[in-house]
C-alpha cells in the first residue's frame, strides 16, 4: 500500500483535515480563548478598540488576524456570529494545513526519504488521533 504515489496520501490527508475543519466547532470554553472569541465575534459589534482589555497579558496581534477574518466574513454577507466564527476556523485551518503540508514536503526532501517513508509520514500525520483537531483550531499559537 505504501508504494502508491505521494499524491494519493497527500489528498487523503487533505480530505481528513478539511472534514475536521467542517465538523469540529473548535475550542469553545470559559477561558482566555472564549474571552478572545467574544472580542471579535460578532463582527457587527466588534472594533479594534475592544480587542485588548486593560488587564490583558496577550498582544493584540494574537487576536487581530481573527478579527480581520470575522470582519471579512461580515463583509461577505455572513451575519450570524456562529458562521463568522466558522469562517475564521475555515480560513485559519486551511492556512495551517497549507503550512504544515509544505513543511512535511520540505522535510521529506531534506531527509531524502524514500517514497514509502514519505507515504508513511503522510499516514502518520493524517491519522495521528489529535493532529487534525489540534491543527485546525483558530489559535495564533497553532499557526505560529
Amino acid at each position: 500500500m505504501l508504494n502508491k504515489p505521494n499524491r494519493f496520501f497527500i489528498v487523503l490527508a487533505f480530505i481528513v483535515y478539511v472534514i475536521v475543519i467542517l465538523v469540529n466547532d473548535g475550542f469553545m470554553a470559559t477561558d482566555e480563548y472564549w474571552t478572545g472569541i467574544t472580542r471579535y465575534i460578532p463582527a457587527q459589534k466588534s472594533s479594534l478598540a475592544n480587542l485588548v482589555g486593560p488587564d490583558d497579558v496577550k498582544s493584540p496581534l494574537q487576536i487581530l488576524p481573527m478579527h480581520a477574518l470575522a470582519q471579512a466574513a461580515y463583509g461577505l454577507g455572513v451575519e450570524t456570529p456562529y458562521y463568522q466564527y466558522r469562517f475564521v476556523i475555515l480560513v485559519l485551518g486551511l492556512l495551517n494545513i497549507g503550512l504544515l503540508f509544505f513543511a512535511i514536503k520540505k522535510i521529506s526532501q531534506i531527509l531524502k526519504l524514500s517514497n514509502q517513508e514519505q507515504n508513511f509520514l503522510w499516514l502518520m500525520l493524517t491519522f495521528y488521533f489529535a493532529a487534525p483537531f489540534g491543527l485546525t483550531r483558530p489559535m495564533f499559537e497553532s499557526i505560529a
Side-chain angles (χ1 to χ4, degrees):
M1 174 163 173
L2 293 177
N3 291 329
K4 293 186 180 191
N6 289 131
R7 201 172 308 117
F8 172 80
F9 294 96
I10 292 170
V11 168
L12 177 66
F14 183 77
I15 289 169
V16 168
Y17 276 75
V18 168
I19 288 171
V20 169
I21 288 172
L22 295 175
V23 173
N24 183 19
D25 278 343
F27 191 71
M28 295 185 188
T30 56
D31 63 358
E32 62 184 282
Y33 295 109
W34 176 256
T35 303
I37 291 168
T38 58
R39 291 187 184 168
Y40 64 86
I41 300 290
Q44 298 90 311
K45 297 179 183 176
S46 177
S47 70
L48 291 175
N50 69 357
L51 286 184
V52 180
D55 60 343
D56 278 343
V57 294
K58 287 188 171 190
S59 165
L61 295 177
Q62 292 177 305
I63 299 177
L64 200 55
M66 280 75 98
H67 177 265
L69 287 172
Q71 292 296 319
Y74 182 59
L76 292 171
V78 180
E79 294 189 15
T80 308
Y82 175 75
Y83 288 113
Q84 292 170 358
Y85 176 71
R86 298 294 294 169
F87 181 83
V88 171
I89 290 174
L90 175 70
V91 174
L92 293 181
L94 289 174
L95 175 64
N96 211 5
I97 291 170
L99 292 171
L100 178 66
F101 282 21
F102 177 77
I104 293 293
K105 194 70 175 157
K106 284 298 179 190
I107 197 75
S108 296
Q109 292 171 352
I110 291 169
L111 296 176
K112 297 180 173 58
L113 299 178
S114 71
N115 187 54
Q116 288 183 329
E117 291 170 330
Q118 287 180 41
N119 289 340
F120 182 72
L121 183 61
W122 284 108
L123 282 174
M124 293 299 293
L125 174 74
T126 303
F127 295 110
Y128 173 65
F129 77 97
F133 291 98
L135 298 173
T136 58
R137 287 171 59 186
M139 295 173 30
F140 181 82
E141 293 87 349
S142 291
I143 296 171

